[in-house]
Amino acid sequence: QVQLVESGGGSVQAGGSLILSCTASGFTYRSNSMAWFRQAPGKEREGVAAIWTADPGAWYGASVKGRFTISQGNAKNIVYLQMNSLKPEDTAMYYCAATDKFLHAGEYSDPLQYDYWGQGTQVTVSS
């Protein structure tokens, strides 16, 4: 059974940094995509960043491009989200997601493409 566990959330002032981790188990890592989504109260779940293991590459949402970096650990079952220059509008619950499918451009930000989800970790950025 696939399990995703997030960690690293917390509270930080605007301009600060946080790093989130997602540890996956029960997965094979030859062909899958992993991603970070976020959801603020009253808003839809938003794709933040995605990474695919078979052909190394990454996708970023427009609101975080240049500030956030998604990466994999050496063991390939850990995905990180380095968040720099945080803004109050980055405040949200952040979720790790994964799928066995190869995703195509335009699909990385669609939560319906992902089969597995973590419980989420809260990030709060104060001004």
Side-chain angles (χ1 to χ4, degrees):
Q1 183 177 353
V2 175
Q3 286 189 318
L4 304 176
V5 179
E6 304 99 334
S7 62
S11 297
V12 65
Q13 288 192 326
S17 298
L18 283 174
I19 183 165
L20 305 182
S21 300
C22 173
T23 302
S25 60
F27 236 148
T28 59
Y29 297 98
R30 293 191 178 277
S31 57
N32 67 58
S33 302
M34 296 185 72
W36 288 95
F37 285 77
R38 66 186 182 187
Q39 189 166 20
K43 294 189 176 181
E44 292 187 352
R45 192 161 293 193
E46 174 191 14
V48 174
I51 192 166
W52 42 98
T53 58
D55 180 16
W59 166 87
Y60 295 93
S63 61
V64 305
K65 202 168 186 178
R67 300 188 297 124
F68 291 11
T69 303
I70 189 171
S71 62
Q72 283 183 289
N74 291 333
K76 302 294 185 184
N77 69 325
I78 300 178
V79 173
Y80 302 101
L81 185 68
Q82 174 71 50
M83 305 186 294
N84 298 328
S85 302
L86 283 161
K87 305 174 181 180
E89 51 263 44
D90 294 318
T91 295
M93 185 71 78
Y94 282 71
Y95 297 92
C96 180
T99 178
D100 290 322
K101 301 187 297 288
F102 285 106
L103 299 183
H104 303 285
E107 294 179 330
Y108 305 119
S109 61
D110 182 0
L112 296 177
Q113 300 296 331
Y114 295 86
D115 304 304
Y116 311 106
W117 291 85
Q119 294 299 307
T121 185
Q122 178 68 37
V123 171
T124 302
V125 184
S126 57
S127 57

